Amino acid sequence: MKKIALIAIIVLTAGFSATAQKTKKMKKVLFVVTSNDKLGNTGEKTGFWSEEFAAPYYELLDKGVEITIASPLGGQPPIDPKSADPSSATEDTKRFDADKTLQEKLKNTHKLSTINQKDYDAVFYPGGHGPLWDLVEDKSSIALIESFYTHNKPVAFVCHAPAVLKNVKVKGDYLVKGKKVTGFTNTEEEAVGLTKVVPFLLEDALTQNGAKFSKGENWQPYAVEDGLLITGQNPASSKLVAGKLLEKLN
């Protein structure tokens, strides 16, 4: 009987330990999306790019990561209509379109000014042209990225999202100064015909701030990391960025 009791205690202890370990490993990542739906003065709509949101979202969610979504204005953020076109569909965007739970979550994004980095292990910014007009200048976003970075937490961006680093400084210097980064390139912006529409070219702005900007072929997956900073070049790079972020979290 004593032997049976001892075995039972060991099994129970192992179970509690496994549960505690699982709970301990649960990571929390903040997704920050744009609230801007205007493509400059063109009269066209923009927002966040669905693939750049969906691919990393599910890559992290399926690994047990808890995700919170925030935006400058809170509530429903705009989705770039071009990214919702069937011609741009991927398995992740199809899942995104059918995910009622996520759609409800998106309707109720947290207001960015209410967010505290202490509640999260990392932050991720999807792209789309929208961020160029709001998140780049948003004081809450700028302060939040600085806070994550200075508290030794990963900061990740894809496509146009690295543009939001334009005004972020750490100890008086631009965060990107001397750092390896990538993002939507000048040639890719030219290919979509928006070089004269966007307020600035991402590649030029980060280079001017001292970044070591590198790039792959247009539209091909390419991502780089430099310490806590992870950046991806274009929509095709979304999963690469998510993978690198997962490695940092684990």
Side-chain angles (χ1 to χ4, degrees):
M1 287 296 290
K2 287 183 178 180
K3 187 175 182 180
I4 293 172
L6 181 60
I7 292 172
I9 290 169
I10 291 171
V11 170
L12 285 170
T13 302
F16 284 129
S17 177
T19 302
Q21 190 174 28
K22 187 177 180 181
T23 302
K24 186 178 179 181
K25 286 184 177 179
M26 174 67 78
K27 298 294 184 179
K28 296 182 179 182
V29 173
L30 175 70
F31 272 44
V32 179
V33 294
T34 181
S35 290
N36 173 59
D37 69 348
K38 295 179 178 63
L39 188 63
N41 297 318
T42 63
E44 296 182 29
K45 294 293 186 181
T46 187
F48 72 84
W49 197 263
S50 59
E51 166 69 6
E52 296 165 25
F53 177 96
Y57 183 88
Y58 292 121
E59 188 76 8
L60 295 172
L61 185 74
D62 292 346
K63 298 296 190 301
V65 175
E66 184 179 327
I67 300 168
T68 297
I69 311 170
S71 62
L73 299 180
Q76 178 69 55
I79 300 172
D80 191 304
K82 291 181 180 177
S83 74
D85 189 280
S87 63
S88 300
T90 66
E91 289 306 310
D92 289 309
T93 60
K94 290 175 185 176
R95 181 178 173 184
F96 170 85
D97 291 338
D99 192 337
K100 302 301 182 185
T101 300
L102 177 54
Q103 297 305 326
E104 191 63 29
K105 196 173 177 180
L106 273 170
K107 288 179 184 177
N108 298 284
T109 66
H110 297 263
K111 197 168 184 178
L112 196 54
S113 60
T114 69
I115 295 294
N116 192 321
Q117 64 79 18
K118 292 180 181 178
D119 299 324
Y120 306 94
D121 300 293
V123 64
F124 171 76
Y125 282 69
H129 283 89
L132 295 174
W133 282 275
D134 65 350
L135 287 170
V136 171
E137 306 294 338
D138 189 279
K139 292 181 180 179
S140 294
S141 176
I142 293 167
L144 196 65
I145 295 168
E146 179 186 354
S147 186
F148 269 93
Y149 192 83
T150 56
H151 284 85
N152 204 37
K153 296 178 180 180
V155 292
F157 313 81
V158 69
C159 200
H160 282 90
V164 307
L165 293 164
K166 181 174 180 282
N167 296 311
V168 179
K169 292 185 176 182
V170 174
K171 295 180 181 177
D173 285 325
Y174 289 111
L175 187 153
V176 299
K177 184 179 180 180
K179 303 284 195 311
K180 293 183 288 185
V181 302
T182 189
F184 204 64
T185 64
N186 289 354
T187 53
E188 286 170 322
E189 200 70 81
E190 185 176 356
V192 297
L194 294 175
T195 54
K196 303 298 184 183
V197 173
V198 293
F200 61 90
L201 294 175
L202 180 158
E203 181 179 343
D204 289 350
L206 297 188
T207 300
Q208 287 166 10
N209 285 353
K212 297 177 180 177
F213 194 96
S214 62
K215 51 192 171 183
E217 294 295 320
N218 284 4
W219 319 119
Q220 296 303 306
Y222 184 75
V224 297
E225 62 179 290
D226 192 326
L228 298 169
L229 178 61
I230 305 167
T231 49
Q233 181 175 323
N234 46 38
S237 310
S238 300
K239 281 194 176 183
L240 275 180
V241 172
K244 289 179 180 295
L245 180 55
L246 275 170
E247 288 176 10
K248 293 286 186 189
L249 289 172
N250 294 327

